[in-house]
Amino acid sequence: MEQEDTLESILNLQLSSETLTVLYLPSILSLLSPEHFSTEPNGAKQGVSPSHINKWMNRIMSLMQSKDAGARWAGICLARKTGHIRRDLLVEYAQRWINLTLPLLSKTEPPPVWKASIDLLVYIFMNTSHLADFRRQVSTPTVPKLTTALLDLFPKPDPSLKILIISSLSKLVTRFPTLHRALGPNILGIVYPVLSGASTSSHSSELIRSTAYLLASMHHLDGKPGAPLAWRNTLDATIAEVWKCISHLQGQVYVSPISPKKPFGFPSLPSDPLMSYQVALDRLHNLIVIFEALFSANPTRSVLVPVSDLAQLTLHLLRGDLPPSSSQVDLTLLQLQRQVAPKLMEEGEYLAATLAYSLRQNLTPHATSLVSSFVYHLEREKSSRRINHLLHSLQAVLDHTTTHSTLLPARLFRAIVPKLSALLPRKRAIETTTSQGATSNGLRDQLGSSRKSKKRQRDFEGADVLGESSADNLLNDPEQAQTVLLALDILQRVLRMQHLSASLHSLGSRLVLGLQLHVISDSNLANPSLSTSSGENSFRNQLQSKLLKIQGELSLGTAGHAWRGLTLMTDVLRHCDMDSAVSEAAISGFSTIDTLIHPRLPPPLRSLPRAESIMLFRAEEPKEEREQRIGLRLIDGLDLDVEVMERRDVEMEPVAPIQNRILEHASSSTKVVPKPTPVINSSSIQAPASFTAVFATSMPAPAVQEVTTHTTTFGIEAHTLQSVTEVDPPQPLQSTAQDPANFHHVVVQSTNPRLRTSPEAAGSEEGKSDDDDIPSINMDSDSEEEEE
């Protein structure tokens, strides 16, 4: 009886009068559910009696026929909610509701009544189209009348009403195309004025997007056989109009490679240059939106898409060619052309993202050219807003296309890393006046002579490297914070590229670890001005979650990175909220590491490199990686080889592995003497083919350094081999490149002292080792003699 009592109480209280109905309508709509209209018993709950359902429907009919506009609006809203809950009631009362609401569209009513009537009518026709009898008797004669009434209402000044009319027409044209074939020119009559552009922003972006989707659905009017051809003609007409706008904006004549059969009926541009440039730029933006709407539409049959022409158009917009300076060109037009050049590049970026999302792998042959254009602008752009727009569009291109260039990953990495360097800490500059005025006794008093004072000094040095950022590194601008987050997304995709060099990949891994350490220790990153709201969407949480996701991917693909970042991920997971995005990223990283530890695949055919061979610390990096890091201005903030683990001001202190502490204690108590490395003639070593790299250039042979021994942070003695130092930059290939004397082999040496230097020595060593391993047997001894 609970449902019956609820429905009866609503009828007796909230719906007792028209004034109360309008007042309590929002609460009634939020309260109603399918249980209140169910006539069948559900367990211990009894169903609603049919008498209450009849009273409810009669009350709705009386409200819809009321003379008060508010009561009519409430009745239409209640009918819409009831039809959504009970489809059988919708079909039963649909004819009567249509007869009451359709005439309201031709009368002078308040906009809320028009909106509620349009919503109810479209809902009825869209949800009864599967009923053949209802479609033949009700929908076929009524839908054209509804479309005509909507076209008459479109000139009303209410923007939200126009958006509702356009979206309703899109649904009706898609569902009932044959009924709108005669009304096609009338529909295009309201579409072209909206999409043709205006000198002022008279139309909202939502209205333009809805109108573009209506234009993209007009190909359904030609039926199933002609719909693909009509869709292709709309695409060709859009391409032709874009080239016309570019020709007008750049002051040059460009001929479209495609000639449409039915061009758009856009009006001509104004004769005034100031107005014509604004109208052309607005029209160009609307045409780019039409591209997105066309690719979102679903043609009934397969259709050919001119991918090459679209790619050329996108590249032309991305280049943003400035007009040449000439004395014969009008200075006013030249200034206007230079002002619209950045706008053309923005439209090209938006079009590139649209094509990548829609065409996906079909755009792969042109992906290298598109990414090159993005990298070119990233290397030169300074504005945060423009950089964010570039990164956002580039992310879509990298997600849905593939580039096989061997140079683009390095260029993209070098263009992205400077955007992240603002987060890295800088070393504090020591004032010269303080150093000159301090006496030796004062310094001795500050530093102290005991071991504890030395330890405090080491802590200060560690805090100096990963301490508070300088004033110029504080991200007080939300656009700069958004740039950092987008740059991390691009860095994550760059590290996945197979053609990224090992040195840059190692540098990127170190950068991620350094940023993660800095996020944990720096409290300035929790600036409230950088977050749209406190808590989950703060800049610190978003930054930390993205870094943890990158660490999880690096742990799966790079040997040695997992154990270096595992401690950080463990501490973050222990201190953060389990329902936050940071914990989800940490758990995802652990699942990735679990896949690495417990693979569901056969074991690899060759062994992975040892952890000591991964160059992530500054003491381990080779000269090539060091120069690349300095060239990217990452001089400070990446020195992870300091005693960060002993810092006391960090809340989430990373704990060193127990094995490293044991080895550190053992190394401090016992002096380890490294084994002498034998001097081997490198000319007599025959390296395997997999470890030999051939450079077909006339460059000098690279120098090979000797094996060096050093002690890491944790006191573990390790042997590091820097096999190849930096060579001179490669020169262009000459005719002498065929000469074997111009080829140089880089041989990677090993620190194993049992290397074979020659076949004879190898044979002697094998014989000696075999003799040592096989025990000698005394043939003269006999067990019988022992018995005697």
Side-chain angles (χ1 to χ4, degrees), residues 25-46:
L25 180 64
S27 60
I28 296 174
L29 295 178
S30 61
L31 179 63
L32 293 178
S33 63
E35 296 179 354
H36 299 114
F37 292 89
S38 178
T39 57
E40 298 179 358
N42 186 8
K45 300 179 180 179
Q46 299 293 330

Side-chain angles (χ1 to χ4, degrees), residues 241-287:
E241 288 293 334
V242 170
W243 281 112
K244 289 181 181 179
C245 294
I246 294 175
S247 300
H248 183 79
L249 292 172
Q250 293 185 348
Q252 300 180 6
V253 179
Y254 295 104
V255 180
S256 174
I258 300 176
S259 298
K261 297 181 181 180
K262 296 180 180 180
F264 290 154
F266 288 161
S268 58
L269 297 174
S271 58
D272 187 6
L274 295 177
M275 297 184 61
S276 64
Y277 269 73
Q278 294 178 0
V279 172
L281 191 59
D282 191 19
R283 183 180 298 180
L284 176 62
H285 174 71
N286 298 341
L287 293 171

Side-chain angles (χ1 to χ4, degrees), residues 510 614-622 626 629 638-642 708 710-713 720 722:
R510 293 171 55 197
I614 305 301
M615 298 167 291
L616 293 181
F617 291 97
R618 178 171 296 182
E620 301 173 0
E621 64 178 353
R626 186 185 304 112
R629 176 175 55 81
L638 283 180
D639 195 358
L640 305 180
D641 215 2
V642 296
T708 60
H710 67 277
T711 305
T712 60
T713 303
T720 306
Q722 298 181 353

Side-chain angles (χ1 to χ4, degrees), residues 105-373:
L105 301 180
S106 303
K107 298 179 181 179
T108 304
E109 295 285 345
V113 176
W114 284 336
K115 295 176 185 178
S117 302
I118 294 172
D119 186 22
L120 177 60
L121 291 172
V122 173
Y123 185 81
I124 291 174
F125 291 127
M126 295 297 292
N127 289 274
T128 57
S129 59
H130 62 285
L131 303 175
D133 294 339
F134 187 91
R135 184 168 183 170
R136 183 179 63 256
Q137 298 176 6
V138 180
S139 300
T140 301
T142 311
V143 168
K145 297 179 182 179
L146 175 60
T147 304
T148 305
L150 293 178
L151 294 176
D152 296 337
L153 276 178
F154 186 78
K156 300 298 179 180
D158 190 358
S160 59
L161 179 62
K162 290 185 177 182
I163 296 173
L164 180 61
I165 292 173
I166 292 294
S167 60
S168 301
L169 288 176
S170 301
K171 296 177 182 178
L172 294 174
V173 167
T174 306
R175 186 61 61 91
F176 307 98
T178 55
L179 300 179
H180 294 85
R181 190 169 299 172
L183 298 174
N186 297 333
I187 296 176
L188 293 177
I190 68 172
V191 169
Y192 288 150
V194 176
L195 299 177
S196 61
S199 57
T200 58
S201 300
S202 58
H203 303 299
S204 62
S205 59
E206 188 176 358
L207 177 61
I208 292 173
R209 187 173 298 274
S210 301
T211 309
Y213 277 87
L214 175 59
L215 178 61
S217 63
M218 293 298 293
H219 66 277
H220 292 285
L221 302 182
D222 292 350
K224 291 184 178 180
L229 297 178
W231 184 90
R232 176 60 189 272
N233 181 78
T234 306
L235 181 63
D236 296 345
T238 307
I239 296 175
E241 288 293 334
V242 170
W243 281 112
K244 289 181 181 179
C245 294
I246 294 175
S247 300
H248 183 79
L249 292 172
Q250 293 185 348
Q252 300 180 6
V253 179
Y254 295 104
V255 180
S256 174
I258 300 176
S259 298
K261 297 181 181 180
K262 296 180 180 180
F264 290 154
F266 288 161
S268 58
L269 297 174
S271 58
D272 187 6
L274 295 177
M275 297 184 61
S276 64
Y277 269 73
Q278 294 178 0
V279 172
L281 191 59
D282 191 19
R283 183 180 298 180
L284 176 62
H285 174 71
N286 298 341
L287 293 171
I288 301 300
V289 177
I290 293 176
F291 278 121
E292 180 183 0
L294 285 173
F295 288 117
S296 300
N298 186 17
T300 55
R301 297 179 182 178
S302 301
V303 60
L304 295 177
V305 178
V307 180
S308 179
D309 297 331
L310 290 171
Q312 291 179 3
L313 176 61
T314 307
L315 290 174
H316 184 86
L317 290 173
L318 284 175
R319 283 198 299 266
D321 297 334
L322 294 176
S325 300
S326 176
S327 59
Q328 300 179 357
V329 180
D330 188 3
L331 295 179
T332 304
L333 296 178
L334 183 62
Q335 186 66 21
L336 289 174
Q337 293 170 8
R338 290 180 177 179
Q339 288 180 357
V340 301
K343 298 292 184 180
L344 295 179
M345 288 188 290
E346 290 184 2
E347 300 300 336
E349 295 160 10
Y350 184 74
L351 180 58
T354 302
L355 295 180
Y357 183 78
S358 304
L359 303 178
R360 297 182 182 268
Q361 297 300 326
N362 296 320
L363 197 64
T364 299
H366 309 277
T368 302
S369 301
L370 293 175
V371 177
S372 299
S373 300

